[in-house]
Amino acid sequence: MLLTHAPPPLLRFLTPTTTLSLIKLQLHHHHHHHHHRRTLTLFSHSLRASHFSMTALINNKNAAAGDSSTEHVTGEWQSVPELQLRDHRFTVPLDYSRGTHSSPKITVFAREVVAVGKVEQTLPYLLYLQGGPGFECMRPTESSGWIQKACEEFRVILMDQRGTGLSTPLSVSSMSQFKSAQELADFLKHFRADNIVNDAEFIRVRIVPNAGPWTILGQSYGGFCAVTYLSFAPQGLKQAFLTGGIPPIGDGCTADSVYRVGFEQVVNQNEKYYKRYPQDIKVVQELVNYLAEKEGGGVALPSGGILTPRGLQILGLSGLGSGAGFERMHYLFERVWEPTLVPGAPKRISYYFLSSFEKSLVFDTNPLYALMHESIYCQGSPSRWSAHRIRNEINDKFDAIKAAREGLPVLFTGEMIFPWMFDEIQALKPFKDVADILAEKKDWPPLYNVQALKDNKVPVAAAVYYEDMYVNFKLSIETASQIAGIRLWITNEFMHSGLRDGGGKVLDHLLGMLNGRKPLF
């Protein structure tokens, strides 16, 4: 999700789309105004209580002193240009439903960021929820972009979501400690938005003076987490900002509907790419034909995986939907072939291309992104490799080999995880069985409470990107109609990574919508 998400540098591309005239709408949804999704289940309050132990958690904030010495460890202040930073490490339950004492423990890391000169000031807190799933927060090296804007009025908390960064990271090597796929799957079920919110609440009551409420900013998948927060722990929130992060909240598994509309937007992005770089149509066709004719159907990658035509199409994941993605993809294709230095030498794909292809994927450093991806759409229902099934419904369109043979443009895929990636991408090979278990898992707990969202009292402002490839516009609007009081800023001036691409602009605009600078009109 989604990138959902502001992943590491190579997934961080994006340019404003200028072909459409700028669309900016301000919508205000009142409490009584909501459309029903195709399937809508109202969760009872007892359900809330059984799945989330928020209240228990808050009552535990003054747990025995012996316990508290290690449950929150604070580091010393450090400096980067214009910012002061300090580390916080929390020892939290892996499984909140088992209570703080009987559950195994994991570490959750958060970094506090304050503008130089404001360390002693009493400022409100802002928790940043990172895109993903499975990505750590950025590591600030200077004051710039949205962080600089946020630090004008907040103490910013960058929490590495559980399983990422310094929060008990689940890496290719650390996950190999589990003896069986089933054991790992049972562990991974605790690494979704429900527990990310539990962790945030655990941190809030220990870090905010008097355990007061804080503001949250959710980018992409972080926005999904923010809507989970609004569903189950609104008492912890002063206000919420969402950027490209309004999730589908229907009951069961929404993944099928996400990918059905998702493939349409991906086709649209492909058309725009080839309009910008028509010369790449032939380049990509030639490359696909070359790969298809190779023994074994592809070429070995530097890390030991294999580059196949369908693997090549994954370049769209980072290249088609975020800032500077089109440009980076084009510059990559410029350098696809090695030169012929000796007459008659066989044609070869350049090392530069193969290496850059691998670096664009990030599954080796962030395997959770692949493993947990479809589960972010599941409540009480399995995803059963949704993207793979939906692709098969429309397969002709995305069949690279067929397109290249027939002289049609080869389409890249978007934010989709396919089962064959666990055969072709070296870092994912050990997790094929786990991925299958998670794809078939039925008993995912709820992530949203529609009734609580309809009764929402927390001020919410959301940037909705009209041509977002990762978080679909139509589905976002559908959900927004069920969140009472939400204010929307709808724009095609930015792509999905607008928070990062726009300097402080996106955050500034959203702040203005809730602080009175931009009243309703």
Side-chain angles (χ1 to χ4, degrees):
M1 156 163 188
L2 321 263
L3 252 145
T4 29
H5 44 203
L10 268 147
L11 279 166
R12 297 199 160 146
F13 328 115
L14 230 144
T15 41
T17 306
T18 46
T19 46
L20 269 180
S21 63
L22 176 64
I23 295 179
K24 288 189 186 179
L25 306 173
Q26 301 263 11
L27 301 184
H28 192 257
H29 291 292
H30 297 283
H31 291 251
H32 59 270
H33 175 65
H34 49 255
H35 313 292
H36 288 279
R37 281 192 72 89
R38 287 176 293 283
T39 56
L40 188 66
T41 305
L42 304 181
F43 299 139
S44 68
H45 289 281
S46 62
L47 235 180
R48 283 165 81 175
S50 67
H51 281 287
F52 290 81
S53 34
M54 293 295 177
T55 42
L57 188 57
I58 289 158
N59 297 340
N60 280 346
K61 73 172 186 279
N62 302 320
D67 196 17
S68 64
S69 59
T70 55
E71 69 175 19
H72 177 195
V73 178
T74 307
E76 298 298 314
W77 286 104
Q78 298 168 342
S79 299
V80 300
E82 306 296 327
L83 298 175
Q84 297 282 100
L85 317 171
R86 69 173 166 177
D87 299 350
H88 296 270
R89 283 181 171 78
F90 301 87
T91 303
V92 308
L94 170 70
D95 179 358
Y96 283 86
S97 68
R98 287 170 58 176
T100 32
H101 293 296
S102 54
S103 168
K105 302 292 189 286
I106 59 171
T107 300
V108 171
F109 172 86
R111 185 174 267 117
E112 184 177 357
V113 184
V114 184
V116 163
K118 296 195 175 191
V119 167
E120 302 305 324
Q121 292 182 24
T122 309
L123 295 169
Y125 282 74
L126 179 134
L127 171 72
Y128 177 63
L129 293 164
Q130 160 76 30
F135 287 97
E136 63 278 9
C137 280
M138 80 289 282
R139 274 41 192 163
T141 53
E142 60 176 7
S143 180
S144 63
W146 71 263
I147 289 246
Q148 184 173 21
K149 181 77 217 159
C151 285
E152 288 172 14
E153 46 191 286
F154 295 100
R155 302 176 92 89
V156 176
I157 303 296
L158 300 176
M159 176 181 76
D160 281 347
Q161 294 165 16
R162 51 169 56 199
T164 74
L166 285 166
S167 296
T168 313
L170 300 184
S171 64
V172 169
S173 43
S174 73
M175 286 191 288
S176 69
Q177 295 167 27
F178 288 91
K179 296 289 179 286
S180 73
Q182 188 59 57
E183 268 179 83
L184 177 52
D186 290 338
F187 188 76
L188 288 174
K189 70 183 181 198
H190 301 295
F191 287 76
R192 295 199 311 157
D194 46 2
N195 285 309
I196 291 169
V197 170
N198 279 326
D199 292 340
E201 278 294 272
F202 187 101
I203 291 173
R204 178 184 66 82
V205 299
R206 286 163 178 78
I207 211 173
V208 180
N210 307 317
W214 59 8
T215 295
I216 56 175
L217 166 61
Q219 156 66 16
S220 189
Y221 175 66
F224 289 27
C225 296
V227 176
T228 301
Y229 214 143
L230 289 165
S231 294
F232 295 109
Q235 71 281 359
L237 301 178
K238 198 182 294 181
Q239 46 188 6
F241 298 107
L242 315 178
T243 57
I246 301 181
I249 57 174
D251 203 15
C253 182
T254 57
D256 285 17
S257 54
V258 166
Y259 296 123
R260 277 199 186 96
V261 293
F263 274 113
E264 288 170 31
Q265 186 60 38
V266 171
V267 170
N268 184 26
Q269 293 302 108
N270 273 285
E271 285 169 358
K272 286 191 281 185
Y273 177 79
Y274 284 127
K275 203 166 254 177
R276 281 262 296 271
Y277 299 111
Q279 66 271 40
D280 286 359
I281 294 176
K282 281 205 162 41
V283 176
V284 177
Q285 288 167 340
E286 186 187 3
L287 178 55
V288 165
N289 288 332
Y290 176 88
L291 291 169
E293 285 155 19
K294 279 283 172 204
E295 200 180 326
V299 165
L301 287 162
S303 72
I306 181 173
L307 175 61
T308 61
R310 63 187 178 183
L312 177 71
Q313 290 171 280
I314 313 171
L315 276 174
L317 169 57
S318 58
L320 287 182
S322 51
F326 281 17
E327 292 82 355
R328 282 177 212 223
M329 206 152 85
H330 169 67
Y331 292 139
L332 183 55
F333 283 121
E334 275 190 334
R335 296 179 62 180
V336 63
W337 302 111
E338 292 292 19
T340 305
L341 305 180
V342 176
K347 184 169 187 163
R348 271 185 80 164
I349 300 175
S350 71
Y351 178 82
Y352 175 83
F353 184 91
L354 297 172
S355 170
S356 303
F357 169 80
E358 287 205 307
K359 288 196 186 94
S360 81
L361 295 186
V362 307
F363 300 125
D364 57 338
T365 52
N366 298 78
L368 274 193
Y369 179 61
L371 280 168
M372 300 304 288
H373 205 274
E374 290 194 352
S375 78
I376 71 176
Y377 300 112
C378 297
Q379 306 184 86
S381 196
S383 70
R384 297 176 24 249
W385 293 112
S386 172
H388 191 60
R389 287 183 293 102
I390 303 304
R391 180 180 185 160
N392 287 339
E393 287 177 11
I394 54 167
N395 193 34
D396 276 10
K397 232 179 200 162
F398 282 88
D399 183 334
I401 297 174
K402 185 167 180 281
R405 281 205 191 114
E406 294 175 5
L408 297 168
V410 173
L411 300 185
F412 298 95
T413 49
E415 187 174 44
M416 292 130 188
I417 302 297
F418 302 106
W420 47 261
M421 291 180 174
F422 292 82
D423 300 312
E424 297 183 9
I425 296 168
Q426 190 68 15
L428 296 181
K429 286 179 184 177
F431 307 112
K432 187 174 173 59
D433 292 346
V434 186
D436 282 327
I437 293 169
L438 293 172
E440 297 303 327
K441 183 175 166 61
K442 295 182 176 66
D443 56 346
W444 293 109
L447 296 173
Y448 310 106
N449 179 327
V450 176
Q451 193 53 54
L453 294 171
K454 287 182 173 173
D455 298 336
N456 174 54
K457 307 279 188 291
V458 178
V460 185
V464 182
Y465 305 122
Y466 188 69
E467 296 182 82
D468 196 318
M469 187 184 83
Y470 303 94
V471 178
N472 185 266
F473 174 73
K474 285 181 276 199
L475 298 185
S476 296
I477 296 302
E478 224 171 287
T479 296
S481 69
Q482 299 180 73
I483 303 176
I486 191 171
R487 274 194 72 184
L488 301 183
W489 168 38
I490 298 172
T491 176
N492 73 339
E493 188 179 355
F494 298 102
M495 292 169 82
H496 180 70
S497 51
L499 181 67
R500 187 181 59 242
D501 304 331
K505 269 195 215 159
V506 170
L507 181 58
D508 187 54
H509 193 102
L510 294 178
L511 286 166
M513 289 164 71
L514 294 192
N515 69 13
R517 279 189 296 123
K518 295 180 192 292
L520 289 171
F521 58 87

